[in-house]
Amino acid sequence: IFYTGTALVTLVVQLGLTRTSLDRLGLSGTLLLRPALVIVATVVALANLNLTTVAVACGLQAALGNSLFRSAYELLYTPMPPAQKRPTKVVIDVGLARLASMLGSAAILILVAITWSSPLVFLGLAIASALLLTFLSLGIHARYVQELASSLQSGAIRLDTQDIVDLTTRRTLASTTVAIDRDRLLAEIE
């Protein structure tokens, strides 16, 4: 029931909310939804500790991770030239993600052995992890805009406005294109 419910919520969010979220909240706003909602669900689970509230918190984390977060995360590769993007994605998506899963699983096994499976410890760790992800997501916006503008100005990438689904990339493209066109115009006038 848990996995079926999580998969259905993932599908509904992916089809119904992802594009709207990216369009209205931009890249960093969409990245922030997952940790923010996980914190809320986990606090509710702490306040009313039972299997249902814990399952909802875990399911929400998985559903948002596989829909909103994943869609926004994929866009972080936009500033990279295609030849560089493919090998980098393999290293990060396969190598580092699997390594992180193994280390996380090992940490959970150790915690279960030490704490005798206290749900409060795991819910506290969920909140701490979500807070860390929130902090990291806040720093991503400025760096993404800087890298995207640099790649556009250097000609390393070209974007078609019809392919852009998020507010952040659309704004960066517009401001960078204006700057490039202005520089070209001034050069031609001289």
Side-chain angles (χ1 to χ4, degrees), residues 78-155:
T78 301
M80 300 178 78
Q84 185 182 5
K85 187 184 300 187
R86 286 180 190 90
T88 302
K89 280 183 61 97
V90 169
V91 169
I92 293 172
D93 289 350
V94 177
L96 293 178
R98 296 302 158 241
L99 178 63
S101 292
M102 289 185 325
L103 292 174
S105 297
I108 288 172
L109 284 174
I110 291 168
L111 282 171
V112 167
I114 293 171
T115 64
W116 296 93
S117 303
S118 172
L120 298 177
V121 171
F122 293 108
L123 292 172
L125 286 173
I127 291 173
S129 298
L131 287 171
L132 177 62
L133 187 56
T134 300
F135 175 74
L136 293 173
S137 295
L138 289 172
I140 285 175
H141 179 78
R143 184 71 177 162
Y144 173 78
V145 169
Q146 178 185 13
E147 288 296 321
L148 182 59
S150 175
S151 293
L152 288 167
Q153 289 169 345
S154 70

Side-chain angles (χ1 to χ4, degrees), residues 34-188:
R34 177 187 181 194
L37 293 174
V38 166
I39 289 170
V40 170
T42 306
V43 167
V44 169
L46 281 169
N48 185 16
L49 192 58
N50 61 53
L51 183 60
T52 303
T53 58
V54 173
V56 167
C58 291
L60 187 62
Q61 185 278 119
L64 294 176
N66 291 325
S67 57
L68 293 176
F69 186 82
R70 184 57 133 165
S71 296
Y73 163 80
E74 287 293 327
L75 293 175
L76 292 175
Y77 292 105
T78 301
M80 300 178 78
Q84 185 182 5
K85 187 184 300 187
R86 286 180 190 90
T88 302
K89 280 183 61 97
V90 169
V91 169
I92 293 172
D93 289 350
V94 177
L96 293 178
R98 296 302 158 241
L99 178 63
S101 292
M102 289 185 325
L103 292 174
S105 297
I108 288 172
L109 284 174
I110 291 168
L111 282 171
V112 167
I114 293 171
T115 64
W116 296 93
S117 303
S118 172
L120 298 177
V121 171
F122 293 108
L123 292 172
L125 286 173
I127 291 173
S129 298
L131 287 171
L132 177 62
L133 187 56
T134 300
F135 175 74
L136 293 173
S137 295
L138 289 172
I140 285 175
H141 179 78
R143 184 71 177 162
Y144 173 78
V145 169
Q146 178 185 13
E147 288 296 321
L148 182 59
S150 175
S151 293
L152 288 167
Q153 289 169 345
S154 70
I157 63 165
R158 296 203 184 282
L159 298 176
D160 186 2
T161 54
Q162 296 171 347
D163 296 333
I164 299 172
V165 296
D166 68 296
L167 180 65
T168 307
T169 304
R170 199 169 32 257
R171 284 184 177 167
T172 305
L173 178 64
S175 66
T176 304
T177 304
V178 167
I180 291 171
D181 291 344
R182 183 177 185 276
D183 291 343
R184 283 189 194 140
L185 182 61
L186 290 174
E188 287 179 26

Side-chain angles (χ1 to χ4, degrees), residues 17-39:
L17 298 176
T18 300
R19 190 171 279 276
T20 302
S21 177
L22 286 167
D23 187 46
R24 293 203 180 146
L25 301 176
L27 193 57
S28 60
T30 302
L31 286 172
L32 284 168
L33 281 176
R34 177 187 181 194
L37 293 174
V38 166
I39 289 170

